[in-house]
């Protein structure tokens, strides 16, 4: 039965999706009853005209045998054509004997998808995670938000699911193809809504992620994989350039293959890797501030007709101001909250998230710039991390040393004005805010670029962007300032064969899906090389201490 891809179906957002098959049939010159089966391949929003918002669909249609529609395919080249789904590459298992089961370090999206793939292929991975299961992580974070102590092993960044578990859950990514589709399908399998696989800007919401992360674990365990929580990688045992084992906070684990998915905030682990001789390099990273405006103001600006809001939900945006240094919005959370994205005590760094219902009155977004290695203030490979820590500490101290976040009106920030002492500004940030001059909590080049870029963004929005806007920060961890070297073909550390640095912390991904795909690709590499082996108890038996 031939499959036809029908593209560029432009439909008013107020039109019910149930009418889509009728539109597809019309485009093919058929009756709706003539379609054997149809499914949405992509759905995006064309928001160029705010008074006439349109969904743009690409649909796959199976035609009945002998259908005449195939004869008309040349009528609209590019819009109606035969379609063959690009296959997902499932490599044949290799022959190298695997004496110990593979270990995955870190259970963020990179580690999770690496672990999941290895489990599906029969490799029974051991996943070690410094933090606790997501069920215990939630109360730790809630307690911190209410004024409790900072837990260095269980926070917004560390613990089951990694930064991904309390992220905003936008599953957008610049890549596409079978690996991305495979990852998105796994998110659906583990509890995400089915439309994730075809929406242009799929969004899970922070409230859904813990359940999804737990479902991934249950599947991995059901396939013979195992998790050790509260287990931190503290050292590598390398012999003749090959991985032999891992020193962990729970003892020694023999391992010849390990996926290293530690995220971009494990500063202690980067230090350990450097000492162990693993190649690290400085890398440009993103930093800036977080802007908050009333969500209602964003909706009004983006939607030209009131009926769009109930149909489309609170509006999001992306904005860029080109200049000597580009300034851009980052991780915009409609109807969300600004949070303390910190993994070290005595530091403050912001980020944002939102629930699937986007139900707070606040819009928030990073306003970011890219800092290049020569601006880190020194040649040391960890100079970028030190720079992050320096400004996070300054912010922490200036704001009173209690994880309250520095805040300022956008107008005061642009004028470089110190806000009146004790000024109270509305914010979604739970632990309280302290008004101060945010120019002091950023490297001067970054603050200057943001001062230039914000007015450009505001002009694009005819004054709707900065009206009622407050800024919080610093947002120091938009991406990793370090890259862990790896051989592009084997995906292993040249200094330690068998070690596969993956994900955001390795500097090869930015965001949930790209990190997940990066983990998946390294897991495939292990499959390609090694024959599955090992019983679930094997690694446990090797633990000493
Ligand atoms: C608040 C917030 C909102 C975000 N929103 C989005 C979004 O909407 N969409 C999006 O695409 N991205 C978002 N991101 C970014 C996204 O979460 C990350 O890009 C992604 O999680 C990176 O995945 P990772 O697996 O590489 O690392 P992480 O998710 O950081 O996972 C690393 C894991 O390794 C563990 N670990 C670290 N060191 C060790 C060690 N020594 N031993 C054992 N375990 C260790 C950590 O505890 C952690 O669980 C957001 C991030 C934050 C903080």
């Amino acid at each position: 039965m031939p499959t036809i891809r029908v593209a560029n179906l432009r439909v008013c957002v107020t039109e019910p999706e149930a009418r889509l098959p009728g539109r597809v049939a019309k485009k093919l010159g058929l009756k709706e009853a003539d379609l054997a089966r149809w499914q949405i391949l992509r759905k995006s929003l064309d928001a160029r005209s705010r008074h006439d918002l349109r969904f743009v669909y690409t649909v796959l249609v199976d035609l009945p045998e002998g259908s005449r529609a195939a004869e008309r395919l040349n009528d609209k080249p590019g819009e109606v054509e035969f379609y063959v789904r690009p296959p997902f590459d499932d490599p044949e298992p290799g022959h190298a004997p695997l004496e110990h089961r593979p270990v995955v370090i870190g259970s963020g999206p990179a580690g999770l998808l690496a672990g999941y793939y290895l489990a599906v292929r029969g490799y029974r991975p051991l996943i070690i995670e410094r933090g606790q299961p997501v069920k215990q992580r939630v109360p730790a974070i809630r307690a911190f938000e209410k004024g409790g102590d900072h837990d260095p092993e269980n926070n917004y960044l560390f613990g089951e699911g990694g930064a991904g578990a309390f992220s905003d859950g936008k599953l957008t990514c610049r890549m596409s193809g079978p690996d991305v589709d495979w990852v998105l399908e796994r998110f659906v399998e583990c509890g995400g809504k089915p439309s994730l696989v075809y929406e242009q800007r799929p969004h899970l919401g922070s409230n859904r992620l813990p359940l999804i992360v737990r479902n991934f674990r249950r599947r991995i365990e059901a396939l013979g994989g195992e998790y050790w929580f509260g287990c931190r990688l503290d050292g590598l045992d390398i012999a003749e350039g090959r991985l032999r084992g891992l020193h962990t906070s729970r003892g020694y684990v023999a391992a010849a293959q390990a996926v290293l998915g530690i995220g971009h905030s494990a500063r202690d682990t980067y230090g350990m890797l450097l000492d162990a001789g693993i190649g690290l390099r400085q890398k440009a990273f993103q930093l800036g501030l977080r802007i908050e405006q009333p969500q209602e103001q964003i909706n009004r600006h983006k939607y030209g007709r009131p009926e769009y809001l109930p149909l489309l939900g609170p509006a999001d945006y992306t904005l860029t101001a080109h200049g000597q240094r580009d300034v851009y919005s980052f991780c915009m959370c409609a109807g969300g909250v600004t949070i303390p994205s910190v993994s070290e005590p005595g530091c403050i760094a912001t980020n944002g998230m939102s629930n699937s219902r986007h139900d707070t009155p606040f819009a928030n977004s990073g306003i970011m710039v890219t800092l290049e290695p020569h601006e880190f203030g020194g040649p040391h490979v960890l100079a970028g991390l030190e720079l992050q820590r320096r400004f996070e500490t300054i912010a922490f101290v200036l704001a009173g040393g209690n994880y309250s976040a520095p805040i300022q009106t956008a107008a005061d920030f642009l004028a470089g004005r110190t806000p009146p002492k004790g000024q109270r500004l509305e914010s979604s940030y739970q632990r309280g805010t302290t008004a101060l001059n945010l120019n002091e909590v950023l490297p001067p080049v970054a603050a200057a670029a943001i001062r230039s870029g914000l007015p450009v963004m505001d002009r694009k929005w005819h004054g709707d962007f900065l009206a009622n806007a407050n800024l919080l920060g610093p947002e120091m961890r938009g991406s990793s300032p370090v890259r862990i070297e790896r051989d592009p073909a084997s995906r292993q550390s040249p200094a330690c064969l068998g070690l596969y640095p993956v994900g955001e912390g390795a500097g090869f991904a930015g965001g949930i899906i790209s990190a997940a795909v990066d983990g998946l690709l390294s897991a495939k590499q292990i499959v390609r090389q090694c024959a599955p082996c090992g019983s679930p108890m094997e690694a446990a038996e090797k633990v000493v201490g």
Side-chain angles (χ1 to χ4, degrees):
M1 193 189 300
T3 299
I4 310 285
R5 177 178 165 277
V6 185
N8 202 23
L9 285 157
R10 303 171 59 76
V11 178
C12 181
V13 295
T14 52
E15 185 172 315
E17 209 158 75
R19 291 202 203 142
L20 199 54
R23 286 187 164 267
V24 175
K26 193 169 166 205
K27 192 148 183 165
L28 290 170
L30 295 174
K31 295 199 189 76
E32 198 178 318
D34 294 334
L35 308 183
R37 226 162 50 100
W38 68 279
Q39 75 177 89
I40 301 171
L41 183 65
R42 289 281 173 264
K43 177 183 180 184
S44 56
L45 180 69
D46 180 351
R48 281 173 298 180
S49 165
R50 58 195 284 271
H51 293 284
D52 183 21
L53 301 184
R54 299 208 158 230
F55 287 129
V56 184
Y57 291 94
T58 300
V59 175
L60 295 183
V61 183
D62 287 334
L63 295 177
E65 291 298 342
S67 161
R68 286 185 7 283
E71 294 159 21
R72 292 190 206 99
L73 286 190
N74 288 335
D75 290 353
K76 286 191 166 55
E79 291 200 4
V80 179
E81 53 191 23
F82 285 114
Y83 179 81
V84 180
R85 186 180 282 277
F88 175 71
D89 172 35
D90 248 338
E92 284 294 316
H95 301 293
L98 197 54
E99 199 190 333
H100 316 289
R101 57 185 173 163
V103 179
V104 175
I105 303 144
S107 67
L112 198 57
L113 269 293
Y116 188 91
Y117 186 74
L118 288 169
V120 168
R121 296 301 306 274
Y123 288 71
R124 300 175 164 188
L126 169 65
I127 297 174
I128 66 168
E129 166 54 58
R130 67 192 295 163
Q132 293 302 317
V134 73
K135 199 171 171 193
Q136 280 150 259
R137 218 179 143 193
V138 175
I141 286 172
R142 298 287 167 259
F144 174 62
E145 274 177 350
K146 292 200 169 86
D149 289 341
H150 180 262
D151 179 344
E153 301 295 332
N154 274 301
N155 46 58
Y156 276 111
L157 298 165
F158 291 168
E160 184 179 14
F166 291 92
S167 70
D168 185 46
K170 284 183 279 294
L171 300 187
T172 37
C173 141
R174 290 204 193 108
M175 303 182 287
S176 61
D179 292 321
V180 174
D181 292 344
W182 189 88
V183 166
L184 287 170
E185 283 159 15
R186 302 294 76 77
F187 273 91
V188 172
E189 213 172 78
C190 290
K193 55 187 177 179
S195 59
L196 290 181
V197 296
Y198 60 72
E199 283 173 355
Q200 181 199 20
R201 298 169 92 160
H203 179 251
L204 274 172
S206 314
N207 52 324
R208 296 227 173 100
L209 277 158
L211 177 81
I212 288 174
V213 161
R214 195 201 61 191
N215 287 346
F216 266 105
R217 165 160 44 95
R218 289 191 170 164
R219 280 162 191 262
I220 290 171
E221 286 172 341
L223 290 161
E226 193 180 346
Y227 275 66
W228 290 358
F229 290 108
C231 180
R232 192 185 52 242
L233 172 72
D234 287 336
L236 299 173
D237 178 12
I238 305 171
E240 293 168 6
R242 289 199 150 273
L243 184 67
R244 199 164 56 174
L246 309 171
H247 300 284
T248 82
S249 54
R250 284 178 57 179
Y252 182 79
V253 181
Q257 311 282 336
V259 176
L260 184 72
I262 54 168
H264 63 25
S265 286
R267 294 168 175 173
D268 50 354
T269 311
Y270 280 128
M272 177 278 287
L273 293 172
L274 190 63
D275 293 345
I278 302 300
L280 306 179
R281 266 190 287 139
Q282 291 185 339
K283 153 184 170 301
F285 76 102
Q286 302 163 305
L287 77 169
L289 297 171
R290 192 145 280 258
I291 192 165
E292 280 194 338
Q293 305 104 330
Q295 179 61 45
E296 192 268 330
Q297 180 175 318
I298 308 296
N299 298 342
R300 235 183 312 115
H301 179 84
K302 298 291 280 189
Y303 297 153
R305 291 162 55 184
E307 62 266 37
Y308 289 154
L309 181 60
L311 288 168
L312 299 174
D316 61 11
Y317 61 82
T318 49
L319 261 174
T320 306
H322 297 294
Q324 255 185 341
R325 188 187 299 263
D326 285 354
V327 180
Y328 42 90
S329 62
F330 166 84
C331 187
M332 192 274 159
C333 305
V337 290
T338 298
I339 60 145
S341 181
V342 282
S343 51
E344 269 181 352
C347 290
I348 192 81
T350 54
N351 206 317
M353 60 192 225
S354 61
N355 287 338
S356 51
R357 287 206 303 272
H358 303 281
D359 51 5
T360 81
F362 297 95
N364 71 66
S365 172
I367 298 292
M368 310 297 269
V369 297
T370 303
L371 212 63
E372 298 294 332
H374 69 268
E375 297 169 303
F376 291 179
H380 192 279
V381 75
L382 301 183
L385 289 180
E386 273 314 311
L387 180 130
Q388 288 178 320
R389 185 182 274 143
R390 186 160 83 246
F391 284 94
E392 291 174 7
T393 309
I394 290 173
F396 178 79
V397 171
L398 287 179
N402 57 5
Y403 298 98
S404 128
I407 192 169
Q408 185 175 30
T409 65
D412 276 354
F413 174 75
L414 292 177
R417 245 188 328 256
T418 301
K421 204 167 173 3
Q423 183 185 30
R424 303 264 36 110
L425 296 171
E426 270 210 85
S427 170
S428 66
Y429 186 89
Q430 291 281 300
R431 259 196 90 132
T433 54
T434 303
L436 55 88
N437 189 351
L438 284 164
N439 287 284
E440 293 171 22
V441 303
L442 280 180
V445 286
I450 295 173
R451 284 197 306 273
S452 308
L454 279 175
V456 177
M457 293 175 163
D458 197 44
R459 281 197 290 281
K460 286 188 179 177
W461 276 34
H462 309 291
D464 284 346
F465 192 61
L466 293 185
N468 309 304
N470 296 325
L471 298 167
L472 297 98
E475 182 126 337
M476 292 307 287
R477 305 190 192 190
S479 53
S480 174
V482 177
R483 173 158 290 145
I484 306 177
E485 286 176 359
R486 75 181 181 200
D487 174 73
S490 74
R491 302 177 68 85
Q492 298 170 57
S493 160
C496 178
L497 294 182
L499 187 71
Y500 295 77
V502 295
E504 187 153 36
F508 291 102
I512 297 169
I513 296 299
S514 65
V517 169
D518 202 51
L520 165 67
L521 294 178
S522 291
K524 285 189 187 185
Q525 200 59 24
I526 293 177
V527 169
R528 237 174 237 118
Q529 286 191 9
C530 307
C533 101
S535 76
M537 290 310 293
E538 193 178 79
E541 285 156 11
K542 300 269 177 193
V543 174
V544 185

